[in-house]
Amino acid sequence: MTEKFYFHTSLVDRAHHFRGDEKWLAEQITKETSHLVPVWRDHNLIHIDDLPRAVMLPHTDSARLREAASVIVFLGAANGQYYFAADVSDLEETDREDLLPGQGGFEDLRGLAGTMDPTEAGLLAYARALMYWHRNHLYCSKCGSPADSGKGGHERHCTNPDCGRTTFPRTDPAVIMLVSRGEGENETALLGRNIRFQGRGLRYSTLAGFVEPGESLEDAVIREVKEEADIDVTDVRYQGSQPWPFPASLMLGYRARATSEAIKIQEDELMDAQWFTKAQVREMAEEGGILPPSGLSISRWLIDAWLNGESSY
Ligand SMILES: [Zn+2]
């Protein structure tokens, strides 16, 4: 099977049964079986040596960071060890370095994940996504009063007793699809060059877009391909999903078959879109830098699975 992508696996079992036990959580975080994963303004603490490694601070090194944290979240458990994330975004850069001498730096996970242990990258992605949600939901969306973290950091509760609204972490679903037409060696795939890829070379990728309220995933695939390339598709089939916490997406991967051929691109989304044969896509893969990086994104996984003749068709 084609190499899987990143962020589909994490170091921890989420152990959700501990989330409601505030007393246990408060005690656990001070014990030697606890580890703290700090997040600073959407950046994760990563030690870069030969390979990047997630820094998970033992309880003896985390006391001052815990004091400085605006929110602490219980991430889960693995092998009798317990993992917490702390949002330390309020720290200035100079304070941050005082608290973490020699512990690596706060880095953008997106650029490093592909060279990390996948379970560590998954844990950091999970921590980053939750902290992004907390920092962007400080106030109740219904009445505007301050909201507090609850359930081990997996809920926020409005502090206004007349309101009391509970909110849950948001994930925005997006569909990503490999559209093909024809059979055998004549089979081609629709790949586009997004305007957001400008400056990152001639990168071609599968089409993608956010799911709208009241829309099924299959209808979102059909609508996005029509909007972006004016291609009609049918036979929409689910292939796999990838959390993409940059900042809060879940990518739902599909294959679909085209029933039309003439491409007309949506110019505020795509710079170009074309039908490519397998031979052409293999050449692009060999050249490097033209397709999304191997092993990181579901986009490349969908492309590689198509090249290798693997799919639910
Ligand atoms: Zn409220």
Side-chain angles (χ1 to χ4, degrees):
M1 194 68 189
T2 302
E3 190 183 356
K4 198 88 175 174
F5 34 78
Y6 268 75
F7 312 127
H8 74 287
T9 182
S10 163
L11 185 69
V12 297
D13 176 316
R14 295 184 179 228
H16 67 277
H17 49 283
F18 289 125
R19 291 178 186 172
D21 194 340
E22 305 275 343
K23 189 164 168 280
W24 183 89
L25 290 172
E27 285 171 7
Q28 183 54 49
I29 200 168
T30 64
K31 293 185 177 171
E32 61 188 20
T33 46
S34 82
H35 305 269
L36 197 73
V37 177
V39 181
W40 182 80
R41 304 180 193 176
D42 296 332
H43 288 62
N44 294 98
L45 190 58
I46 295 174
H47 187 266
I48 301 176
D49 198 352
D50 286 342
L51 288 176
R53 295 294 311 259
V55 179
M56 296 175 265
L57 298 164
H59 77 297
T60 44
D61 292 349
S62 69
R64 288 173 67 202
L65 270 191
R66 282 186 266 130
E67 277 169 30
S70 56
V71 66
I72 293 180
V73 167
F74 175 62
L75 295 172
N79 304 318
Q81 307 293 304
Y82 298 91
Y83 295 82
F84 294 82
D87 186 346
V88 295
S89 298
D90 292 344
L91 290 175
E92 295 302 327
E93 283 190 50
T94 44
D95 300 337
R96 208 185 70 184
E97 275 149 29
D98 284 349
L99 287 176
L100 294 161
Q103 294 279 12
F106 283 94
E107 310 282 349
D108 187 354
L109 179 64
R110 193 170 174 158
L112 293 171
T115 52
M116 292 182 73
D117 174 276
T119 64
E120 287 190 5
L123 184 74
L124 295 189
Y126 170 28
R128 173 185 161 137
L130 270 173
M131 293 320 184
Y132 175 84
W133 174 71
H134 277 287
R135 282 195 299 107
N136 288 280
H137 292 80
L138 299 176
Y139 299 93
C140 174
S141 59
K142 189 175 176 190
C143 77
S145 301
D148 279 346
S149 172
K151 276 279 166 82
H154 294 267
E155 293 180 2
R156 288 189 77 87
H157 303 140
C158 177
T159 54
N160 171 3
D162 295 333
C163 173
R165 185 183 177 93
T166 297
T167 53
F168 301 92
R170 281 282 310 273
T171 298
D172 300 325
V175 287
I176 182 159
M177 44 278 171
L178 187 129
V179 177
S180 62
R181 67 185 304 279
E183 299 291 337
E185 276 311 298
N186 293 324
E187 191 178 3
T188 52
L190 177 64
L191 300 178
R193 199 177 152 207
N194 198 290
I195 52 169
R196 293 193 304 273
F197 295 161
Q198 216 165 2
R200 275 190 270 163
L202 277 167
R203 183 169 290 180
Y204 282 90
S205 185
T206 49
L207 304 189
F210 285 105
V211 180
E212 295 188 348
E215 184 175 48
S216 73
L217 298 171
E218 291 79 2
D219 282 351
V221 170
I222 293 166
R223 176 183 53 75
E224 281 290 343
V225 179
K226 185 72 180 171
E227 275 178 17
E228 291 190 7
D230 200 30
I231 294 295
D232 297 310
V233 298
T234 186
D235 219 358
V236 177
R237 295 197 194 176
Y238 177 71
Q239 306 290 313
S241 66
Q242 180 184 35
W244 193 251
F246 308 106
S249 300
L250 174 67
M251 307 304 290
L252 296 136
Y254 281 84
R255 289 279 293 269
R257 286 200 179 279
T259 55
S260 67
E261 184 177 7
I263 298 168
K264 184 166 176 279
I265 59 166
Q266 185 183 10
E267 286 176 355
D268 56 357
E269 275 288 318
L270 297 178
M271 297 181 75
D272 183 34
Q274 293 179 40
W275 293 109
F276 293 99
T277 63
K278 288 189 175 178
Q280 286 171 320
V281 176
R282 280 196 193 98
E283 227 170 83
M284 290 154 82
E286 275 165 25
E287 203 160 315
I290 300 179
L291 298 178
S294 193
L296 178 65
S297 69
I298 190 169
S299 171
R300 180 59 183 267
W301 179 74
L302 288 167
I303 293 169
D304 287 345
W306 174 71
L307 283 179
N308 297 335
E310 296 162 355
S311 88
S312 62
Y313 287 114

